[in-house]
Amino acid sequence: MKKSRILTGIKPTGKLTLGNYLGVLKHLPETQDEGEPFIFIADLHALTLPIDPEELRQNSIDIAAFYLAAGLDPNKSTLFLQSSVSAHAELNAIMQNYLYMGELSRMTQFKDKTTKMNDSAIGLGIFAYPVLMACDIILYDANIVPVGEDQVQHVELTRDLVKRFNNRYGNILVMPEAKLRKVGARIMSLSDPTKKMSKSDPKGDIFLKDDMKTVRKKIMSAVTDLGSEVKYDPVNKPGISNLLAIYASTKDISIEEAEKEFVGYRYGDFKKAVADAVCADLEAFQARYQHIIDTKEYEKVLKDGAIKARKVANETLKRVQNAVGLLTYEE
Ligand code: ATP
Ligand code: LTN
C-alpha cells in the first residue's frame, strides 16, 4: 500500500501559543509512523499582513526549532521553508484561476482578519490566502492535513478545488483531508474561554517561550465557571472544559480519563494539577528548543529539506502544467 503523505504548516507571524502546540505541534511526530510528513514554515503566508523583516526571520527560525524540539526527525520528515520552494508560487499562479471571489470572500479567517481594516489597506494576498494554502497541500500529493479546527474551512476549499480541477482535467490531484486531534483541536483563551487562543489576539494566551513562573500564574488565574465540579461541559463550563482539554492533550489521554482523575477536586487544586502537567511538558520542550537554537541545527535541516521538497513539488507542478496545456520542454 502507498504510504500516506502528510502535510502541514505554521505561519511565522508571532509568538507561538499553547494552542498551536497542543492543536498540532506536539503531536506531529506521531505522524512519522503513519506516513511521509512534509512540514513547513508558511513564511509567504506571513507576508499577507504587515510584518517587520527581522521579526519574520526570527519567527521562522523559532518555528523550525520548535518542530525539531517537538520531536520531528529530519530523517523521517521533510522540514522546509515555503519560500525556498518556488513551485508554491508557480502553482499559485495557475490555481488562482480555479477558485472564485465568492468562495474566497466567505472564508472566516479572511473576514476575522480584515473586519477592522479599511478596504484600501487590505492586500490581495490576504484575500487569496487560501489559494496558496491549497497549493501547499496539492504540491505534495498530501492526503492527510493535521490542523486545528480553525483551518478546516481552508482544507474544505482545497477539496472543492481538487474536485473541480480533476473533473475538468482528469485524475491529476490527490484529495486531501483535514485531520483534527480528538482533544486539543481548539484550545481557548484562558481569560475568555469562548474565544480561540490566538497569537494575533494574545489575551489569555500561554506562549511557548513563557517562563514557568508565568505559565503557572496564567493557569492559576484562568477564568473558571460557576459551580464547583470539574466536569467537561463546554457550553455551561467553558473555562473548566478548556483546562480539562489542556490537561488531557498535554498528558495524551482522553477527556473522560482526565475527568475521572479530578472527581472531588476543588477548582484550585485542579488548576494546580493542570499547571504542573503543562510546566513539566513545556520545560522539557524549552530545553530541547534552546539546544537546537544554540547549535543552529535547523540550518542544515532546512537546506536539506528544501532540496527534497523541491523535487516532489516540481513533479506535481509539471503534471499540472501539462494538464492545463502549458508547454514544459526539458532544459
Ligand atoms: P493567528 O492566531 O494569528 O491566526 P494561528 O496560530 O491560527 O495564527 P498558525 O500559526 O499558522 O496560525 O497555526 C498553526 C496551527 O495551529 C494551525 O493548524 C492552527 O489550526 C493551529 N491552531 C492555532 N490556534 C489554535 C488553538 N487555539 N487550538 C488548537 N489549534 C490551534
Ligand atoms: N493557514 C494556516 C497555515 C498554513 C497551512 C498550510 C496549514 C499555510 N499553508 C497548509 C496546513 C496546510 C494557518 O493560518 N494556521
Side-chain angles (χ1 to χ4, degrees), residues 12-285:
T13 43
K15 297 191 283 182
L16 253 62
T17 71
L18 191 67
N20 298 125
Y21 182 65
L22 296 179
V24 182
L25 196 53
K26 176 176 161 68
H27 303 283
L28 278 182
E30 294 157 29
T31 65
Q32 295 180 141
D33 303 322
E34 293 162 25
E36 223 186 322
F38 284 77
I39 311 289
F40 71 102
I41 298 151
D43 53 357
L44 291 174
H45 275 119
L47 289 174
T48 56
L49 286 172
I51 184 162
D52 171 73
E54 193 46 37
E55 202 189 322
L56 176 54
R57 274 188 282 271
Q58 283 310 319
N59 289 344
S60 299
I61 290 173
D62 263 359
I63 293 180
F66 284 146
Y67 280 146
L68 292 168
L72 284 173
D73 173 353
N75 295 313
K76 294 183 183 166
S77 298
T78 305
L79 304 181
F80 61 100
L81 288 155
Q82 184 185 31
S83 62
S84 298
V85 182
S86 58
H88 289 248
E90 292 178 69
L91 188 65
N92 188 64
I94 298 175
M95 289 304 168
Q96 62 186 351
N97 302 302
Y98 302 87
L99 281 171
Y100 304 121
M101 304 277 284
E103 295 173 311
L104 293 172
S105 48
R106 282 195 292 276
M107 293 294 110
T108 50
Q109 181 167 306
F110 171 70
K111 288 192 272 185
D112 289 350
K113 301 251 179 227
T114 56
T115 36
K116 289 189 195 129
M117 288 167 78
N118 197 303
D119 261 6
S120 58
I122 301 174
L124 182 56
I126 187 84
F127 185 66
Y129 185 111
V131 183
L132 182 59
M133 176 158 164
C135 294
D136 301 336
I137 296 169
I138 287 168
L139 277 174
Y140 300 91
D141 290 335
N143 41 355
I144 299 177
V145 186
V147 281
E149 207 174 86
D150 59 309
Q151 292 304 311
V152 171
Q153 195 185 28
H154 287 158
V155 180
E156 287 300 315
L157 187 66
T158 308
R159 288 171 62 84
D160 292 343
L161 170 66
V162 166
K163 198 163 162 218
R164 188 172 297 157
F165 193 92
N166 284 350
N167 275 343
R168 178 143 172 207
Y169 298 106
N171 204 9
I172 307 290
L173 308 176
V174 170
M175 185 62 80
E177 203 176 323
K179 190 174 175 210
L180 301 191
R181 301 288 313 167
K182 276 208 195 80
V183 187
R186 190 170 171 82
I187 297 296
M188 312 305 271
S189 155
L190 295 180
S191 58
D192 179 357
T194 61
K195 284 209 183 112
K196 178 191 115 165
M197 189 182 280
S198 159
K199 60 174 135 77
S200 58
D201 182 15
K203 257 185 34 210
D205 280 18
I206 288 179
F207 297 110
L208 297 188
K209 285 163 86 175
D210 277 348
D211 61 70
M212 290 312 121
K213 206 170 143 211
T214 308
V215 173
R216 194 167 283 280
K217 202 166 136 209
K218 285 181 179 174
I219 294 178
M220 293 310 291
S221 53
V223 166
T224 48
D225 316 292
L226 290 175
S228 59
E229 213 184 346
V230 179
K231 204 167 161 283
Y232 191 74
D233 177 355
V235 176
N236 298 307
K237 285 179 167 265
I240 290 295
S241 301
N242 189 36
L243 289 170
L244 269 171
I246 290 174
Y247 182 82
S249 179
T250 302
K251 295 281 224 176
D252 220 352
I253 58 174
S254 67
I255 293 280
E256 293 75 23
E257 285 170 309
E259 263 181 332
K260 271 194 205 134
E261 281 190 37
F262 296 112
V263 174
Y265 268 61
R266 289 166 193 270
Y267 283 173
D269 294 332
F270 165 58
K271 279 176 163 180
K272 192 174 166 303
V274 176
D276 287 345
V278 171
C279 286
D281 192 306
L282 278 191
E283 203 165 20
F285 176 76

